[in-house]
Amino acid sequence: KYTEIIKDLRSEIQELKAKLAVPEAPPDLGEEELDTTQSVKWKHELMQNFEERVRIKRRLIDLAHETKNQMVQKSHAQVGISQWESGRQAQLDGDLDGQRTPPNIRELQEQLKFIKSELARTEETTRVLEGMLHENQEKAEKLQAELPRRVKNKDMRAFLGLISRIYVMEVENMDMQEMVDI
């Protein structure tokens, strides 16, 4: 679905490029240069915003995978410790001599402690990245709001608006792909 929408948007962009290739009667060359400069500058800012958003999203996806792996490791360590504790409790109930914690269980306990600290670090990094993503989205909205003021040429505004929509669709497509992969 997203792929078709992106194709449609790209075809609209091609039509707008063709329209832009046929210049309108320029009222003032200086004004046209200023408009072109503003268009290029706006597009560059949009590209930077988009690239930053993709980097943040990819890092968030990587952190989600990392968290998933840490949770699996945590579960394995907890199961090992629980099995030993259950066996130890049965021995204590049977009036056998109490035993010390075996080295492999101590290793599991240390591993569990380390995994918990790594999970906390990952959660904090995720929170920071989500804040950065929110700021990035606000900046993109601000850029969208500035487009009519900064770019006077109607066709150029439409062209840049479509480019922006394509970027948004690509990020949403990335999100959808991640949901499918999980």
Coordinates of all heavy atoms in Angstrom, one line a residue, residues 2-42:
Y2 N 1.9 1.3 0.9 CA 2.7 2.5 1.0 C 3.6 2.6 -0.3 O 3.8 3.7 -0.7 CB 3.6 2.4 2.2 CG 3.0 2.8 3.5 CD1 2.6 1.9 4.5 CD2 2.8 4.2 3.7 CE1 2.0 2.4 5.6 CE2 2.2 4.6 4.9 CZ 1.8 3.7 5.8 OH 1.2 4.1 7.0
T3 N 4.0 1.4 -0.8 CA 4.8 1.5 -2.0 C 4.0 2.1 -3.2 O 4.6 2.9 -3.9 CB 5.2 0.0 -2.4 OG1 5.8 -0.6 -1.2 CG2 6.2 0.0 -3.5
E4 N 2.7 1.8 -3.3 CA 1.9 2.4 -4.3 C 1.7 3.9 -4.1 O 1.8 4.7 -5.1 CB 0.6 1.7 -4.4 CG 0.6 0.3 -5.0 CD -0.8 -0.3 -5.1 OE1 -1.7 0.4 -5.4 OE2 -0.9 -1.5 -5.0
I5 N 1.5 4.3 -2.9 CA 1.4 5.7 -2.6 C 2.6 6.4 -2.9 O 2.6 7.5 -3.5 CB 1.0 5.9 -1.1 CG1 -0.4 5.3 -0.9 CG2 1.0 7.4 -0.7 CD1 -0.8 5.3 0.6
I6 N 3.8 5.9 -2.6 CA 5.1 6.5 -2.9 C 5.2 6.6 -4.4 O 5.7 7.6 -4.9 CB 6.2 5.7 -2.2 CG1 6.2 5.9 -0.7 CG2 7.6 6.2 -2.7 CD1 7.1 5.1 0.1
K7 N 4.9 5.6 -5.1 CA 5.0 5.6 -6.6 C 4.1 6.7 -7.2 O 4.5 7.5 -8.1 CB 4.6 4.3 -7.2 CG 5.6 3.2 -7.1 CD 5.1 1.9 -7.7 CE 6.1 0.8 -7.5 NZ 5.6 -0.5 -8.0
D8 N 2.9 6.9 -6.6 CA 2.0 7.9 -7.1 C 2.5 9.3 -6.8 O 2.5 10.2 -7.6 CB 0.6 7.8 -6.4 CG -0.2 6.6 -6.9 OD1 0.1 6.0 -7.9 OD2 -1.2 6.2 -6.2
L9 N 3.1 9.4 -5.6 CA 3.7 10.7 -5.2 C 4.9 11.0 -6.1 O 5.1 12.2 -6.6 CB 4.1 10.7 -3.8 CG 3.0 10.8 -2.8 CD1 3.6 10.6 -1.4 CD2 2.2 12.1 -2.8
R10 N 5.7 10.0 -6.5 CA 6.8 10.2 -7.4 C 6.4 10.7 -8.8 O 7.0 11.5 -9.4 CB 7.7 9.0 -7.4 CG 8.5 8.8 -6.2 CD 9.6 7.8 -6.3 NE 10.4 7.8 -5.0 CZ 10.8 6.7 -4.5 NH1 10.6 5.6 -5.0 NH2 11.6 6.8 -3.4
S11 N 5.3 10.1 -9.2 CA 4.8 10.5 -10.6 C 4.3 11.9 -10.5 O 4.5 12.7 -11.5 CB 3.7 9.5 -11.1 OG 2.5 9.6 -10.3
E12 N 3.6 12.3 -9.4 CA 3.2 13.7 -9.3 C 4.4 14.6 -9.3 O 4.4 15.7 -9.8 CB 2.4 13.9 -8.0 CG 1.0 13.4 -8.0 CD 0.2 13.7 -6.8 OE1 0.2 14.9 -6.4 OE2 -0.3 12.8 -6.2
I13 N 5.5 14.2 -8.6 CA 6.7 15.0 -8.6 C 7.2 15.2 -10.0 O 7.7 16.3 -10.4 CB 7.8 14.4 -7.7 CG1 7.4 14.6 -6.2 CG2 9.2 14.9 -7.9 CD1 8.2 13.8 -5.2
Q14 N 7.2 14.1 -10.8 CA 7.7 14.2 -12.2 C 6.8 15.2 -13.0 O 7.4 16.0 -13.8 CB 7.6 12.8 -12.9 CG 8.7 11.8 -12.3 CD 10.1 12.3 -12.4 OE1 10.5 13.0 -13.4 NE2 10.9 12.0 -11.4
E15 N 5.5 15.2 -12.8 CA 4.7 16.1 -13.5 C 5.0 17.6 -13.0 O 5.1 18.5 -13.9 CB 3.2 15.8 -13.1 CG 2.7 14.6 -13.8 CD 1.3 14.2 -13.3 OE1 0.6 15.1 -12.7 OE2 0.9 13.0 -13.4
L16 N 5.2 17.7 -11.8 CA 5.6 19.1 -11.3 C 6.9 19.5 -11.8 O 7.1 20.7 -12.1 CB 5.5 19.1 -9.8 CG 4.1 19.1 -9.2 CD1 4.1 18.9 -7.7 CD2 3.4 20.4 -9.5
K17 N 7.9 18.6 -11.9 CA 9.2 18.9 -12.5 C 9.0 19.4 -13.9 O 9.7 20.4 -14.3 CB 10.1 17.7 -12.4 CG 10.8 17.5 -11.1 CD 11.7 16.3 -11.2 CE 12.4 16.0 -9.9 NZ 13.3 14.8 -10.0
A18 N 8.1 18.7 -14.6 CA 7.9 19.1 -16.0 C 7.3 20.5 -16.1 O 7.7 21.3 -16.9 CB 7.0 18.1 -16.7
K19 N 6.4 20.8 -15.2 CA 5.8 22.1 -15.1 C 6.8 23.2 -14.8 O 6.8 24.3 -15.3 CB 4.7 22.2 -14.0 CG 3.3 21.7 -14.5 CD 2.3 22.0 -13.4 CE 0.9 21.5 -13.7 NZ 0.0 21.8 -12.7
L20 N 7.7 22.8 -13.8 CA 8.8 23.8 -13.5 C 9.8 24.0 -14.6 O 10.4 25.1 -14.7 CB 9.5 23.3 -12.2 CG 8.7 23.4 -10.9 CD1 9.4 22.7 -9.8 CD2 8.3 24.8 -10.5
A21 N 9.9 23.0 -15.5 CA 10.8 23.2 -16.6 C 10.3 24.2 -17.6 O 11.1 24.9 -18.2 CB 11.0 21.8 -17.3
V22 N 9.0 24.4 -17.7 CA 8.4 25.4 -18.5 C 8.2 26.6 -17.6 O 7.3 26.7 -16.8 CB 7.0 24.9 -19.1 CG1 6.4 26.0 -19.9 CG2 7.2 23.6 -19.8
P23 N 9.1 27.6 -17.7 CA 9.0 28.7 -16.7 C 7.9 29.6 -17.0 O 7.5 29.8 -18.2 CB 10.4 29.4 -17.0 CG 10.8 29.1 -18.3 CD 10.2 27.7 -18.6
E24 N 7.3 30.2 -15.9 CA 6.3 31.2 -16.0 C 7.0 32.5 -16.4 O 8.2 32.6 -16.3 CB 5.6 31.3 -14.7 CG 4.9 30.1 -14.2 CD 4.4 30.2 -12.8 OE1 4.4 31.3 -12.2 OE2 4.0 29.2 -12.2
A25 N 6.2 33.5 -16.8 CA 6.8 34.8 -17.1 C 7.3 35.3 -15.8 O 6.5 35.7 -14.9 CB 5.8 35.7 -17.7
P26 N 8.6 35.4 -15.6 CA 9.1 35.9 -14.3 C 8.9 37.4 -14.1 O 9.3 38.2 -15.0 CB 10.6 35.6 -14.4 CG 11.0 35.5 -15.8 CD 9.7 35.1 -16.5
P27 N 8.3 37.8 -13.0 CA 8.0 39.2 -12.8 C 9.3 40.0 -12.5 O 9.4 41.1 -12.9 CB 7.1 39.2 -11.5 CG 7.3 37.9 -10.9 CD 7.8 36.9 -12.0
D28 N 10.2 39.3 -11.8 CA 11.4 40.0 -11.4 C 12.5 38.9 -11.2 O 12.3 38.0 -10.5 CB 11.2 40.8 -10.2 CG 12.5 41.6 -9.7 OD1 13.4 41.6 -10.5 OD2 12.5 42.2 -8.6
L29 N 13.6 39.1 -11.9 CA 14.7 38.0 -11.9 C 15.2 37.9 -10.4 O 15.4 36.8 -10.0 CB 15.8 38.4 -12.8 CG 16.9 37.3 -13.0 CD1 16.3 36.0 -13.5 CD2 18.0 37.8 -13.9
G30 N 15.4 39.0 -9.7 CA 15.9 38.9 -8.3 C 14.9 38.2 -7.4 O 15.4 37.4 -6.6
E31 N 13.6 38.4 -7.6 CA 12.6 37.7 -6.8 C 12.7 36.2 -7.1 O 12.5 35.4 -6.2 CB 11.2 38.3 -7.1 CG 10.2 37.8 -6.1 CD 8.9 38.5 -6.4 OE1 8.8 39.7 -6.5 OE2 7.9 37.7 -6.5
E32 N 12.8 35.8 -8.4 CA 12.9 34.4 -8.8 C 14.1 33.8 -8.2 O 14.0 32.6 -7.7 CB 12.9 34.3 -10.3 CG 12.8 32.9 -10.8 CD 12.8 32.8 -12.3 OE1 12.0 33.5 -12.9 OE2 13.5 31.9 -12.8
E33 N 15.2 34.4 -8.2 CA 16.5 33.9 -7.6 C 16.3 33.7 -6.1 O 16.7 32.6 -5.6 CB 17.6 34.8 -7.8 CG 18.4 34.6 -9.1 CD 19.6 35.5 -9.2 OE1 20.2 35.8 -8.2 OE2 19.8 36.0 -10.4
L34 N 15.7 34.6 -5.5 CA 15.4 34.5 -4.0 C 14.5 33.3 -3.7 O 14.8 32.5 -2.8 CB 14.8 35.8 -3.5 CG 14.5 35.8 -2.0 CD1 15.8 35.7 -1.2 CD2 13.7 37.1 -1.6
D35 N 13.5 33.2 -4.6 CA 12.5 32.0 -4.4 C 13.3 30.7 -4.6 O 13.1 29.8 -3.8 CB 11.4 32.2 -5.4 CG 10.2 31.3 -5.0 OD1 9.9 31.2 -3.7 OD2 9.5 30.8 -5.9
T36 N 14.1 30.6 -5.6 CA 14.9 29.4 -5.9 C 15.8 29.1 -4.7 O 16.0 28.0 -4.3 CB 15.7 29.6 -7.2 OG1 14.8 29.8 -8.2 CG2 16.5 28.3 -7.5
T37 N 16.5 30.2 -4.2 CA 17.4 30.0 -3.1 C 16.6 29.5 -1.9 O 17.1 28.6 -1.2 CB 18.1 31.3 -2.8 OG1 18.8 31.8 -3.9 CG2 19.1 31.2 -1.6
Q38 N 15.5 30.1 -1.6 CA 14.7 29.6 -0.5 C 14.2 28.2 -0.7 O 14.2 27.4 0.3 CB 13.5 30.6 -0.3 CG 13.8 31.9 0.4 CD 14.4 31.7 1.8 OE1 13.9 30.8 2.6 NE2 15.4 32.4 2.1
S39 N 13.8 27.8 -1.9 CA 13.4 26.5 -2.2 C 14.5 25.5 -1.9 O 14.3 24.4 -1.3 CB 13.0 26.3 -3.6 OG 11.9 27.2 -3.9
V40 N 15.7 25.8 -2.4 CA 16.8 24.9 -2.2 C 17.2 24.8 -0.7 O 17.4 23.7 -0.2 CB 18.1 25.4 -3.0 CG1 19.3 24.6 -2.6 CG2 17.8 25.3 -4.5
K41 N 17.2 25.9 0.0 CA 17.5 25.9 1.4 C 16.4 25.1 2.2 O 16.8 24.3 3.1 CB 17.5 27.4 1.9 CG 18.0 27.5 3.4 CD 18.1 28.9 3.8 CE 18.5 29.0 5.3 NZ 18.4 30.4 5.8
W42 N 15.1 25.3 1.9 CA 14.1 24.6 2.6 C 14.2 23.1 2.3 O 14.1 22.3 3.3 CB 12.7 25.1 2.1 CG 11.6 24.5 2.9 CD1 11.0 25.0 4.0 CD2 10.8 23.3 2.6 NE1 10.0 24.2 4.5 CE2 9.9 23.1 3.6 CE3 10.9 22.3 1.6 CZ2 9.0 22.1 3.6 CZ3 10.1 21.3 1.6 CH2 9.1 21.1 2.6

